[in-house]
Amino acid sequence: MKKVLLLFTVFALFLTSCGDSKKEEVKKEVKKAVEEVKSDATIAVDQLTLGEKLFTEKTCTSCHQVDAKVVGPSIKDIIKIYDEKNGNIVQFLKGNAPAIVDTDPGQVAIMKANLDGFVKDLSGDQLQALAAYMRSK
Ligand code: HEC
């Protein structure tokens, strides 16, 4: 009887220790997942901060306001059309896709001057950041 009790105790100990290590494993997994979400969020925030900075520094703001048309269409109007037509802002900025928001040749020429002038010097990451910033408005 004593032996059975001992065996039972060992078995119980084994079970709980096994449970603990499983718990530790789950804890680690959860921690890792949380860290990943945190770092994704940091990257997203960094990208928006960079996008906002570029949108101002690269003078986009002088022709594109959030809600109102100034020289160019408002950011909201641009995003609305890009969503409706499933357009790609980065491709447009790279000069690989035609204008889909305002196709008036005079207006297109104004924006094209920017693309040919200084937008072509921006990196892919910078263009992504500009597009992400516009989408966040
Ligand atoms: C001198 C004024 C001016 C500046 C500066 C300017 N834009 Fe534009 N933008 C326009 C005009 C005008 C249009 C409308 C013509 C068109 O849609 O291509 C336009 C259109 C756009 C469109 C929509 C293109 C489409 O598919 O029709 C995007 C996206 C855009 N601009 C992004 C930018 C970004 C990003 C910057 C800064 C790097 C910028 N613009 C700077 C005048 C400007």
Side-chain angles (χ1 to χ4, degrees), residues 24-34:
E24 275 309 308
E25 227 173 78
V26 171
K27 234 186 194 173
K28 261 189 213 155
E29 287 296 317
V30 170
K31 223 173 164 185
K32 210 171 108 194
V34 169

Side-chain angles (χ1 to χ4, degrees), residues 51-66:
E52 182 166 26
K53 187 169 163 268
L54 289 169
F55 204 81
T56 313
E57 280 178 3
K58 300 296 173 187
T59 72
C60 316
T61 33
S62 59
C63 296
H64 298 289
Q65 299 285 303
V66 175

Side-chain angles (χ1 to χ4, degrees), residues 34-44:
V34 169
E35 291 302 323
E36 270 167 23
V37 169
K38 266 193 203 160
S39 94
D40 282 356
T42 313
I43 291 167

